[in-house]
């Protein structure tokens, strides 16, 4: 397993290189945006750990290059910025996870392992929901016969929802089964990723609909799923008569 680390803190980079080597992981270090972009274009990695504040720019520039190349590679952002609006913007830009510094090395390793598992593992099942086909083994999605480009996190979320089509999934269940037991962030990350996934699928048929279940979470509605019965309109009042 080879990880690209885009981080200007040489001490942290050296520590990660030593500790991840014990897990059989090779860490390739890039201290700048320019070097990070060059490596993503010239080499193949299992995952990327990305700082935001770099000497020659922001890690978002590296992230945009990666996603513009349609890479499904998992990207974990490791940053000292703990503002919700920044985290949401980074996830919207295509990051799969966001970890705030300082963080224990053991927790970071666990989050990285979970991220790589989501990006590479598959159970071989193929789920068909109308025009949507989700191939968990090959980690590919087709909508109306066309391949759909998703990040690893978006794929894992869609795969989970499609495997439980028409069954409401709470945010807590999604955090546990998609983000993994090592995730300790807020549940708003579920809402952000659902929003991105809805944009990928599009608002109109033939895509299945991701419905919000008030007070619970979300549900992927299959085309032939049972709809709740419509509320009956009240009967009009009987006409008044005079004696």
């Amino acid at each position: 397993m080879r990880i690209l680390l885009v981080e200007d803190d040489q001490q942290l980079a050296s520590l990660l290189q030593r500790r991840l080597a014990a897990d059989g992981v090779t860490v390739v270090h890039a201290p700048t945006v320019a070097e990070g972009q060059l490596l993503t274009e010239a080499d193949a990695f299992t995952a990327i750990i990305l700082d935001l504040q770099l000497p020659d720019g922001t890690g978002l520039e590296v992230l945009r290059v990666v996603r513009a190349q349609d890479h499904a590679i998992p990207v974990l952002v490791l940053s000292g910025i703990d503002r919700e609006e920044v985290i949401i913007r980074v996830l919207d830009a295509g990051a799969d996870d966001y970890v705030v510094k300082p963080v224990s090395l053991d927790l970071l390793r666990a989050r990285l392992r979970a991220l790589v598992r989501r990006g590479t593992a598959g159970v071989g099942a193929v789920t068909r929901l109308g025009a949507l086909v989700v191939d968990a083994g090959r980690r590919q999605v087709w909508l109306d016969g066309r391949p759909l480009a998703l990040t690893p996190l978006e794929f894992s979320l869609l795969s989970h929802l499609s495997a439980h089509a028409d069954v409401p999934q709470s945010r807590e269940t999604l955090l546990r089964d998609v983000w993994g037991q090592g995730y300790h962030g807020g549940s708003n990350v579920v809402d952000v990723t659902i929003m991105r996934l809805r944009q990928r699928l599009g608002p109109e048929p033939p895509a299945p609909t991701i419905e919000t279940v008030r007070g619970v979470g979300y549900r992927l509605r299959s085309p032939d799923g049972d709809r709740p019965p419509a509320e009956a309109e009240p009967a009009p009042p009987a006409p008044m008569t005079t004696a």
Side-chain angles (χ1 to χ4, degrees):
M1 188 162 64
R2 300 179 75 248
I3 303 296
L4 173 62
L5 173 65
V6 186
E7 167 66 64
D8 63 331
D9 186 335
Q10 182 61 55
Q11 184 176 1
L12 175 60
S14 298
L15 178 62
L16 284 174
Q17 285 175 322
R18 291 196 305 270
R19 292 295 298 272
L20 290 178
D23 299 333
V25 178
T26 299
V27 176
V28 179
H29 178 217
T32 64
V33 168
E35 291 180 63
Q37 290 176 331
L38 182 62
L39 284 168
T40 60
E41 294 170 348
D43 208 341
F45 297 96
T46 310
I48 296 174
I49 300 177
L50 182 62
D51 190 13
L52 287 183
Q53 298 173 302
L54 296 164
D56 57 339
T58 170
L60 282 176
E61 298 173 60
V62 179
L63 180 59
R64 292 188 185 106
V65 168
V66 171
R67 293 303 178 228
Q69 294 169 343
D70 200 23
H71 285 182
I73 181 172
V75 177
L76 183 151
V77 169
L78 178 63
S79 173
I81 302 175
D82 192 17
R83 298 201 307 273
E84 181 176 292
E85 66 273 15
V86 174
I87 297 173
I88 291 174
R89 181 157 55 92
V90 169
L91 293 173
D92 280 342
D96 298 287
D97 200 356
Y98 192 109
V99 177
V100 177
K101 300 176 184 175
V103 60
S104 75
L105 193 53
D106 287 339
L107 177 57
L108 179 61
R109 291 162 68 193
R111 295 281 284 272
L112 181 61
R113 289 194 299 268
L115 193 65
V116 170
R117 282 198 303 271
R118 291 203 302 262
T120 60
V123 297
V126 177
T127 303
R128 291 177 173 83
L129 299 172
L132 181 71
V133 178
V134 181
D135 188 332
R138 298 163 63 185
R139 295 192 66 83
Q140 293 180 335
V141 179
W142 292 268
L143 179 60
D144 201 23
R146 295 174 288 104
L148 198 63
L150 301 176
T151 68
L153 179 58
E154 290 166 353
F155 176 86
S156 296
L157 179 56
L158 180 60
S159 181
H160 178 94
L161 291 173
S162 63
H164 301 82
D166 302 314
V167 179
Q169 301 293 302
S170 69
R171 290 174 177 83
E172 292 75 18
T173 296
L174 294 174
L175 284 172
R176 182 195 66 211
D177 294 347
V178 178
W179 274 259
Q181 297 286 0
Y183 182 76
H184 298 289
S187 62
N188 64 319
V189 70
V190 176
D191 304 319
V192 171
T193 311
I194 287 286
M195 179 184 67
R196 293 205 316 253
L197 198 51
R198 282 171 168 163
Q199 293 171 346
R200 305 275 197 197
L201 292 172
E204 304 294 337
T209 303
I210 301 177
E211 298 177 340
T212 300
V213 182
R214 184 173 297 178
V216 179
Y218 297 98
R219 163 178 54 202
L220 183 65
R221 175 68 73 180
S222 62
D224 54 351
D226 294 329
R227 295 280 178 174
E231 294 183 5
E233 293 185 4
M240 296 182 61
T241 60
T242 56

